[in-house]
């Protein structure tokens, strides 16, 4: 058990170092990275396509990376916006890592890019633990998914700078209780902004783009309770079980508490009766070739996909 935790912390620490370097490198180029997280079927790709098209229409230079286990379908859809798009194929890996983003950007990202949108793998478990060098983390949820989703996935929602609801045109037919949803979001992430969107009607599209652009000139206005601690090069963890993240404890009286105890293991902790069972893939594991470019094409690595040539905006 201890060895497993040690390996996990080493993988996360290495990813965080790469993410920190990537964020600094891109910031010097004037590029802001937005990491989009959601479960499969949330409407994330459709909304992102609308945001990209709106940016192109407004003359804002944007680009996108989209990740999937297989197929280039989403890259083709997003390219219709007219923005530069690249696909990352993870070959079964349930999340993106900073090394994959860095490798995919090499020699591709246009010099004038203002915002790079990264559409993560559809999953609210594994991606929540991995910093991709983003400045803004957006967690999306369709109104058809249920008001209690923030309580089921507190790490994802608790690490968001912005929460977005999608498919709001289906709220009434789905019986979506927006007040309950907002209460649940703020239970795990007090004060975070929640934006309503609908790709069909265009509701909230400009707002999402405006929030992304705002982070180019200033830090996100919200500091989530599960945000990583400030990066400290050369820092040595006294306890290998401390991954530098903060954890939410559900109180039977409805209060939430975050703590920084050094014995935590990078998981959500709850009081008896509200135990969180991690997904089998939620154990960070070293990958063949980590840190070795010669092996980056091995199993469970992202395979470079052919560049997608943007089609004229529709």
């Amino acid at each position: 058990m201890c060895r497993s935790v040690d390996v996990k912390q080493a993988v996360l620490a290495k990813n965080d170092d790469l993410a920190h370097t990537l964020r600094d490198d891109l910031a010097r180029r004037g590029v802001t990275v937005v990491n989009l997280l959601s479960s499969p079927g949330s409407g994330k790709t459709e909304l992102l396509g609308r945001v990209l098209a709106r940016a192109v229409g407004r003359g804002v230079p944007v680009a996108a990376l989209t990740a999937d286990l297989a197929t280039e379908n989403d890259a083709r859809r997003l390219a219709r916006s007219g923005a530069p798009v690249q696909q990352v194929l993870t070959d079964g890996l349930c999340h993106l890592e900073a090394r994959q983003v860095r490798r995919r950007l090499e020699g591709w990202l246009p010099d004038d890019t203002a915002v790079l949108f990264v559409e993560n793998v559809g999953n609210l478990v594994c991606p929540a633990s991995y910093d991709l060098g983003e400045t803004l983390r957006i967690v999306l949820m369709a109104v058809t998914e249920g008001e209690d989703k923030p309580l089921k996935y507190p790490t994802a929602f608790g690490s968001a700078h912005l929460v977005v609801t999608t498919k709001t045109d289906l709220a009434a037919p789905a019986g979506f209780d927006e007040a309950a949803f907002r209460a649940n979001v703020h239970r795990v992430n007090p004060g975070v902004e929640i934006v309503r969107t609908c790709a069909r009607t265009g509701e909230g599209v400009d707002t999402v783009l405006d929030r992304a652009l705002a982070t180019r000139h200033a830090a996100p206005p919200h500091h989530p309770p599960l945000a990583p601690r400030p990066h400290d090069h050369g820092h040595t963890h006294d306890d290998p079980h401390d991954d530098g993240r903060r954890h939410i404890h559900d109180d039977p009286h409805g209060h939430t508490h975050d703590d920084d105890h050094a014995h935590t293991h990078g998981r959500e902790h709850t009081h008896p009766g509200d135990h969180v069972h991690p997904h089998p893939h939620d154990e960070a594991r070293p990958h063949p070739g980590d840190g070795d470019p010669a092996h980056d094409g091995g199993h469970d690595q992202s395979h470079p996909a052919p560049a997608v040539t943007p089609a004229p905006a529709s």
Side-chain angles (χ1 to χ4, degrees):
M1 171 62 81
C2 289
R3 179 57 183 161
S4 174
V5 171
D6 289 348
V7 169
K8 173 178 180 263
Q9 301 313 322
V11 171
L12 287 174
K14 184 174 182 178
N15 180 84
D16 288 349
D17 284 342
L18 287 173
H20 177 78
T21 301
L22 179 61
R23 181 163 33 245
D24 283 352
D25 290 345
L26 290 173
R28 280 191 289 271
R29 295 174 55 181
V31 182
T32 291
V33 180
V34 178
N35 185 6
L36 303 174
L37 281 70
S38 78
S39 56
S42 68
K44 177 168 75 271
T45 304
E46 185 65 24
L47 178 64
L48 177 56
R50 299 300 178 100
V51 171
L52 294 174
R54 191 65 56 86
V56 170
R58 288 168 52 176
V60 178
V62 295
L65 288 180
T66 180
D68 275 308
L69 279 66
T71 83
E72 296 175 27
N73 295 345
D74 286 354
R76 294 190 183 97
R77 290 174 60 190
L78 294 177
R80 292 199 292 265
S81 68
V85 177
Q86 287 275 294
Q87 180 81 51
V88 179
L89 298 179
T90 66
D91 193 25
L93 193 63
C94 63
H95 60 274
L96 273 177
E97 297 179 9
R99 63 186 172 82
Q100 296 168 306
V101 174
R102 181 183 64 178
R103 186 174 70 238
R104 208 67 192 94
L105 294 180
E106 290 175 354
W108 168 74
L109 189 67
D111 291 336
D112 65 344
T113 303
V115 180
L116 171 67
F117 290 91
V118 180
E119 183 183 18
N120 219 312
V121 179
N123 184 346
L124 281 176
V125 182
C126 313
S129 296
Y130 287 84
D131 184 356
L132 302 183
E134 70 262 25
T135 302
L136 184 68
R137 176 175 290 197
I138 300 178
V139 175
L140 305 92
M141 192 201 87
V143 298
T144 54
E145 296 182 65
E147 299 85 359
D148 62 344
K149 200 131 208 172
L151 303 182
K152 291 182 176 181
Y153 300 95
T155 298
F157 283 88
S159 65
H161 299 101
L162 181 69
V163 172
V164 169
T165 55
T166 62
K167 305 183 181 181
T168 53
D169 55 328
L170 300 178
F176 179 63
D177 187 338
E178 185 170 358
F181 170 73
R182 287 177 173 271
N184 289 336
V185 169
H186 290 143
R187 183 178 176 187
V188 299
N189 194 342
V192 68
E193 182 183 7
I194 302 170
V195 174
R196 292 167 47 91
T197 69
C198 177
R200 287 183 177 178
T201 66
E203 178 186 12
V205 171
D206 278 304
T207 302
V208 172
L209 178 57
D210 288 342
R211 296 298 182 271
L213 292 173
T215 61
R216 295 189 68 218
H217 309 292
H222 176 71
H223 186 75
L226 298 190
R229 291 172 181 163
H231 189 90
D232 182 9
H233 283 299
H235 175 70
T236 301
H237 292 291
D238 293 328
D239 187 335
H241 300 296
D242 180 10
D243 66 359
R245 289 168 172 76
R246 303 172 72 192
H247 307 273
I248 287 180
H249 295 261
D250 285 337
D251 186 283
H253 300 293
H255 303 292
T256 57
H257 310 277
D258 51 34
D259 72 62
D260 293 294
H261 297 311
H263 67 272
T264 53
H265 293 187
R267 290 285 184 273
E268 302 89 7
H269 296 275
T270 57
H271 290 289
D274 195 17
H275 182 65
V276 175
H277 298 279
H279 188 282
H281 292 297
D282 197 26
E283 285 296 329
R285 47 198 170 88
H287 305 288
D290 271 359
D292 183 358
H295 294 84
D296 272 351
H299 184 65
D300 273 353
Q301 307 298 318
S302 70
H303 297 287
V308 176
T309 303
S314 55

